[in-house]
Amino acid sequence: MTMHRRTVVKAMLACGALVGLGAVIPGAAFAARNKDAFSSDDQAKAMQALFDAEPANSQDIVLKAPSIAENGAVVPVTVSTEMTGVESISIFVADNPTPLVAEFMIPAGTKASVATRIRMGKTSTITAVVKADGKLFSTARETKVTIGGCGG
Amino acid sequence: MAGIFKVKAKAKDGVTKVKMLAKHVMETGQRKDKKTGEIIPAKFIQEITVQHAGNTVFSGQLGTAMSKNPYFSFTFTGGAKGEELSISWTENTGASATETAKIK
């Protein structure tokens, strides 16, 4: 019986190692999609993986989201800014299983204003990160969720 | 799969405002089937690109936290009534498609 338990433990360890490897390889293979950032369960790590830097707080980003969302499965969010040279707009929800919601590329000629709808598992802060002229800016606000959007 | 996107694009004074809604489950891979208790595999749109006259006017990398039937709205300079937008999307399953929509 003891032997049997050993093998199970070993198998579990091997599994863990495989999962670890799996997380690293796709990141290298698909440069276009930042899998590490999208699969990270920690907001700070996701930001690090996506931008390799920390954004500075800014008053120039307008993040529109309800203060109370009745249904976490559909939370309307609008991010806009008057900054020039905006390259991308990203949205994070800190307490979601994977905080990075989406990264929108803003090519020249497109207004730095994006509206979309996101899921929220529970009450959390929503953070919008704007990349403009290679610099990062962010703003955050809290949305209370009465019914989560991740449960079955 | 023809046409999961419903697009409303309106050109006015040289600026086009686009609102689009996709009909898609955006399955996160974290929900369980209530009957069998098995995890429903993830199925979501992970990449979307909108082009107008050969130029990309909007693109996004999406995670699983996009809502079901995701909605996007953006505005770009250029575009005129009658011109076409082409919308390409890719699922995490590898499925992809390109659709077109007319600017009104």
Side-chain angles (χ1 to χ4, degrees):
Chain A
M1 201 59 198
T2 336
M3 279 304 286
H4 180 66
R5 222 154 77 188
R6 278 276 152 98
T7 29
V8 171
V9 169
K10 265 185 191 162
M12 278 168 74
L13 281 175
C15 274
L18 276 176
V19 169
L21 270 177
V24 174
I25 296 162
F30 304 100
R33 182 175 172 82
N34 198 322
K35 288 225 171 181
D36 285 358
F38 274 100
S39 59
S40 174
D41 58 2
D42 183 82
Q43 178 164 315
K45 278 186 202 150
M47 279 189 191
Q48 194 69 36
L50 191 62
F51 305 116
D52 203 17
E54 282 216 6
N57 255 324
S58 168
Q59 303 294 316
D60 298 331
I61 305 167
V62 182
L63 169 62
K64 269 189 221 160
S67 36
I68 296 174
E70 278 172 22
N71 185 356
V74 186
V75 183
V77 175
T78 306
V79 184
S80 61
T81 178
E82 295 295 322
M83 287 179 204
T84 51
V86 174
E87 292 158 35
S88 76
I89 292 177
S90 311
I91 301 169
F92 294 84
V93 177
D95 292 333
N96 264 7
T98 51
L100 178 56
V101 176
E103 185 191 21
F104 298 108
M105 307 301 159
I106 309 294
T110 298
K111 218 175 137 200
S113 171
V114 174
T116 188
R117 300 202 292 224
I118 64 171
R119 276 194 185 113
M120 290 178 74
K122 56 183 172 187
T123 300
S124 169
T125 45
I126 302 176
T127 309
V129 179
V130 170
K131 190 176 182 188
D133 289 328
K135 290 193 191 102
L136 296 166
F137 303 97
S138 77
T139 190
R141 63 171 294 161
E142 195 185 62
T143 293
K144 286 200 165 69
V145 174
T146 38
I147 306 169
C150 291
Chain B
M1 222 199 299
I4 62 161
F5 273 97
K6 257 192 193 170
V7 182
K8 272 190 182 173
K10 275 212 159 150
K12 199 187 175 190
D13 302 329
V15 174
T16 306
K17 188 168 172 63
V18 184
K19 292 179 186 173
M20 48 192 211
L21 188 69
K23 198 168 165 55
H24 199 281
V25 288
M26 298 298 275
E27 198 57 68
T28 61
Q30 296 188 10
R31 291 198 316 147
K32 278 184 183 164
D33 189 312
K34 276 180 190 147
K35 279 180 197 149
T36 62
E38 278 171 29
I39 288 173
I40 304 169
K43 185 184 179 194
F44 58 97
I45 300 173
Q46 62 176 17
E47 204 176 325
I48 171 171
T49 308
V50 182
Q51 292 191 314
H52 167 256
N55 296 319
T56 300
V57 290
F58 181 76
S59 76
Q61 296 283 333
L62 311 178
T64 51
M66 292 302 296
S67 73
K68 183 178 170 184
N69 299 339
Y71 165 83
F72 310 94
S73 154
F74 63 96
T75 309
F76 69 94
T77 315
K81 197 177 166 178
E83 289 182 346
E84 267 189 353
L85 291 174
S86 101
I87 300 150
S88 317
W89 53 269
T90 311
E91 254 178 26
N92 68 320
T93 56
S96 67
T98 301
E99 298 168 19
T100 55
K102 274 215 160 71
I103 301 174
K104 279 176 189 158

